[in-house]
Amino acid sequence: MPGQAVDPNQWIDNYSDYLFNYTIVRVDDREIAKDLVQETFFAGLKSMKNFKGEASERTWLISILKRKIIDHYRKINSNKGKAEIRVGYNADSENEGQWLEERVADPFDVNAENDMENSELGLAIHDCIAKLPEKQATIFKMKTVQDFDTEAICNEFNITPSNLWVIIHRARTSLANCMKENWF
């Protein structure tokens, strides 16, 4: 996959639901989640020249999003939350002062602590999905985990697209509440 090109024209269609679902579980506020996903896309646009293609586009966007979520919590939990950190990397005035997130290696790659936390989080999510009504859980997994097409899900369950999104919204809300009680 090295050398894979970035296609920002497809990001919203391909990744917005996934990134939003990832975010809403962690921040439990729809508007903040939307803002963080939007900031992620913006940061991705700004730093796409640094994308090496060593990971998938989605993995790369998730690594940016993780830092956005961490920054969000740092900001709300710190009196110094409005401070911006810029680092000059070279004397080239065009690139001087690039954001740290555009240059630093992904700290979320592989380390035992994150693996353990991700495993525990995965179990918590799995337990919360198991508490959903069966049809809701199945539709939620098909759309968000297995990435089925909206039309295919609607045909299989004989529902309209708007009904599908109501079911997905209810599942997300239930999962967010469950995760708040059991994970955070």
Side-chain angles (χ1 to χ4, degrees), residues 5-28:
V6 177
D7 186 3
N9 295 321
Q10 298 298 315
W11 288 354
I12 291 175
D13 291 338
N14 293 344
Y15 308 119
S16 60
D17 283 345
Y18 181 83
L19 295 176
F20 179 80
N21 291 337
Y22 183 92
T23 308
I24 194 69
V25 170
R26 287 157 179 82
V27 298
D28 195 30

Side-chain angles (χ1 to χ4, degrees), residues 66 70 105-120:
K66 286 178 181 178
I70 289 169
D106 182 7
F108 297 98
D109 276 346
V110 180
N111 81 36
E113 187 176 326
N114 282 346
D115 285 348
M116 185 169 60
E117 185 174 313
N118 285 341
S119 295
E120 291 171 359

Side-chain angles (χ1 to χ4, degrees), residues 18 41 62 81 102 124 160 176:
Y18 181 83
F41 288 146
I62 281 290
E102 295 173 11
T160 65

Side-chain angles (χ1 to χ4, degrees), residues 71 74 82-89 97-101:
D71 289 346
R74 282 185 183 146
K82 295 181 181 174
E84 293 180 350
I85 300 171
R86 290 189 179 261
V87 179
Y89 291 96
Q98 293 291 330
W99 286 100
L100 183 60
E101 71 188 23

